[in-house]
Amino acid sequence: MIDKIKSRFGKKCSGIKINPHGLHPINIPEKSMKFCEAVNYSFKVPIQINKNNLDCPGARRNVGFDKDDDKLAKRISDNTHIPLNYILTALQQIPVPLKDIYNIALGITEEMEQIVEPDLFIIYTQPVNIMRIIHN
């Protein structure tokens, strides 16, 4: 499936699997990284992010690794100068439906798809690809 998606939308496509089983070995970064950085790496090599190597406060909250909205709101407020109470209110309106996530595999390859089926895909499309799809 991933190869079909890449041929249609371009190479910047990453298959994502939550709590994959049987994907060993897979690259587990030793340095902490932001989620967007992990996605960028996954376009080239499969990697696994977890509680120990994901260093993006918003992404950590959204995947359920951190549940401290007060700490996140303070950090956002300090960085943006947006009032703390406004950020807390906004965070309370954003649900965190994901639970029991231990790791996330990004960059699922066609070969890996024989073992696990991706839960979702992240695709960076190029205008040329979109126009080709519209005209087909």
Side-chain angles (χ1 to χ4, degrees):
M1 174 66 115
I2 190 73
D3 285 348
K4 290 178 185 176
I5 292 173
K6 284 181 178 182
S7 70
R8 181 135 181 145
F9 294 103
K11 293 188 281 184
K12 289 202 171 191
C13 175
S14 183
I16 313 295
K17 182 68 179 176
I18 310 294
N19 294 335
H21 299 289
L23 285 182
H24 302 287
I26 189 167
N27 301 300
I28 301 174
E30 292 181 14
K31 75 172 189 98
S32 294
M33 61 177 50
K34 306 284 186 211
F35 185 77
C36 57
E37 184 181 12
V39 169
N40 189 48
Y41 277 112
S42 76
F43 294 140
K44 299 174 190 84
V45 296
I47 65 170
Q48 180 175 294
I49 56 175
N50 56 47
K51 193 177 261 197
N52 298 321
N53 64 16
L54 182 60
D55 185 36
C56 180
R60 291 182 64 82
R61 176 194 188 266
N62 290 335
V63 300
F65 290 166
D66 290 338
K67 297 175 178 28
D68 189 345
D69 280 358
D70 292 334
K71 181 179 176 183
L72 176 58
K74 180 164 178 13
R75 184 171 179 175
I76 293 170
S77 180
D78 289 347
N79 289 337
T80 63
H81 306 293
I82 297 172
L84 183 63
N85 62 342
Y86 180 80
I87 295 168
L88 281 169
T89 300
L91 286 174
Q92 290 170 356
Q93 296 174 10
I94 301 170
V96 183
L98 303 175
K99 294 182 177 142
D100 300 321
I101 294 180
Y102 307 104
N103 57 62
I104 303 169
L106 299 98
I108 302 294
T109 64
E110 187 79 19
E111 294 79 26
M112 294 169 135
E113 280 186 314
Q114 295 174 21
I115 300 166
V116 299
E117 184 178 333
D119 294 314
L120 59 119
F121 297 92
I122 294 177
I123 303 168
Y124 287 127
T125 59
Q126 300 297 313
V128 162
N129 295 20
I130 295 298
M131 294 310 294
R132 182 170 39 108
I133 291 166
I134 291 171
H135 292 299
N136 286 337

